[in-house]
């Protein structure tokens, strides 16, 4: 009796199905963790939003409150803020699910490099968000309030304020990833640390352009983003020099 060997296409289909099932399981676990934290934080929505609005309220006259100009703003703004906090809180869990899905396909050397880079990227994102909240927001609101004419009453809308803060969080969080991005470019062989040093002047100009585009239209937030990015560019060069493979050493 003749046996028929399975074709490569038939052998590939079960592996593809296994990968899709694994991807679905990881997505479901990540979303479940996000949903659990979101529901757990909902009862504290008012308190959390008050903490988020503290940098603005500290610059306004005593007793000033945010004014909801839309019917749903008083409800939607705290709920969106809780989702933002839940997303930031569960980011390590979400990244772990992505790592657990990708890691089996990586070589040992790739794992040794990818895991520290992933942890560094997460830490830098949190540092960027903290920098925006504790330093940038108070400075920006102090600048804006000082230049507001006395006949203008500052009564921000809750949703507009949340959007403003979220944009700053994303801008500073992603911008603080610059050292990790430079290290990845060097590890991929697209640039060298020497080329990064030689392009320092162009990089500074590009950083100020990016800061002007992604931050609100005030000079304070633009400078408070551009200056740290210039310093982080130097940190990225140092990290790339340390991690870049040396041509005189054999590959692992």
């Amino acid at each position: 009796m003749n046996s028929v060997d399975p074709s490569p296409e038939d052998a590939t289909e079960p592996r593809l199905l296994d990968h899709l099932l694994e991807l679905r399981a990881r997505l479901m676990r990540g979303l479940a963790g996000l949903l659990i934290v979101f529901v757990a934080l909902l009862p504290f929505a008012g308190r959390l939003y008050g903490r988020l609005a503290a940098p603005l309220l500290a610059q306004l006259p005593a007793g000033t409150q945010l004014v909801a100009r839309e019917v749903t703003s008083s409800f939607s703004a705290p709920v969106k803020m809780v989702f933002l906090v839940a997303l930031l809180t569960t980011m390590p869990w979400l990244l772990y699910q992505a790592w657990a899905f990708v890691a089996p396909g990586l070589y040992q050397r790739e794992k040794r490099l990818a895991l520290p880079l992933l942890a560094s990227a997460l830490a830098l994102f949190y540092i960027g968000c903290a920098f925006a909240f504790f330093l940038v927001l108070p400075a920006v609101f102090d600048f804006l309030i000082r230049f507001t004419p006395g006949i203008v009453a500052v009564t921000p809308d809750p949703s507009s304020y949340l959007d403003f803060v979220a944009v700053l969080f994303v801008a500073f969080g992603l911008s603080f990833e610059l050292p990790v991005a430079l290290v990845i470019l060097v590890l991929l062989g697209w640039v060298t640390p020497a080329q990064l040093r030689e392009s320092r002047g162009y990089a500074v100009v590009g950083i100020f352009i990016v800061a002007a585009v992604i931050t609100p239209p005030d000079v304070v937030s633009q400078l408070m983003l551009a200056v740290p990015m210039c310093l982080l560019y130097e940190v990225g060069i140092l990290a790339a020099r340390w991690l870049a493979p040396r041509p005189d050493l054999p590959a692992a």
Side-chain angles (χ1 to χ4, degrees):
M1 182 177 180
N2 295 331
S3 60
V4 179
D5 295 333
S7 63
E9 291 80 4
D10 295 335
T12 302
E13 288 181 1
R15 291 198 299 269
L16 178 59
L17 181 60
D18 291 340
H19 289 317
L20 292 176
L21 292 175
E22 175 71 11
L23 177 60
R24 187 184 67 173
R26 294 296 176 184
L27 288 175
M28 295 299 294
R29 291 173 188 172
L31 293 176
L34 176 61
L35 180 61
I36 290 172
V37 175
F38 174 74
V39 173
L41 292 176
L42 271 179
F44 308 98
R47 189 179 305 175
L48 289 173
Y49 193 90
R51 183 69 185 93
L52 187 69
L56 173 60
L57 296 178
Q59 305 298 330
L60 297 176
T64 302
Q65 296 179 340
L66 304 184
V67 177
R69 296 185 178 87
E70 298 179 3
V71 177
T72 60
S73 292
S74 58
F75 169 78
S76 62
V79 172
K80 288 192 297 184
M81 185 273 309
V82 169
F83 178 79
L84 176 63
V85 174
L87 183 61
L88 292 175
T89 303
T90 57
M91 193 172 294
W93 172 249
L94 298 174
L95 290 178
Y96 168 75
Q97 297 301 324
W99 169 258
F101 176 74
V102 175
L106 300 178
Y107 294 108
Q108 192 62 33
R109 181 178 181 275
E110 293 173 336
K111 291 181 182 179
R112 290 199 304 266
L113 290 174
L115 195 55
L117 287 176
L118 187 62
S120 300
L122 182 62
L124 287 171
F125 185 86
Y126 282 139
I127 292 173
C129 292
F131 183 84
F133 181 76
F134 290 105
L135 295 178
V136 178
L137 286 178
V140 168
F141 293 139
D142 178 70
F143 174 81
L144 294 177
I145 297 301
R146 286 179 183 273
F147 283 87
T148 300
I151 61 174
V152 177
V154 180
T155 55
D157 178 76
S159 293
S160 300
Y161 175 76
L162 178 63
D163 295 340
F164 179 85
V165 173
V167 168
L168 279 183
F169 276 16
V170 172
F172 278 81
L174 293 181
S175 298
F176 272 52
E177 305 289 336
L178 182 59
V180 176
L182 295 180
V183 169
I184 292 176
L185 291 177
V186 171
L187 292 177
L188 291 175
W190 293 358
V191 294
T192 64
Q195 290 174 330
L196 293 176
R197 289 195 304 271
E198 294 170 359
S199 304
R200 183 181 286 114
Y202 298 102
V204 171
V205 174
I207 285 171
F208 273 88
I209 293 175
V210 170
V213 171
I214 67 177
T215 57
D218 65 275
V219 66
V220 175
S221 60
Q222 293 171 9
L223 287 176
M224 294 189 74
L225 177 60
V227 173
M229 284 186 68
C230 292
L231 298 177
L232 290 170
Y233 185 84
E234 300 299 327
V235 173
I237 294 176
L238 295 175
R241 288 181 57 189
W242 181 54
L243 294 174
R246 299 180 182 177
D248 56 333
L249 295 180

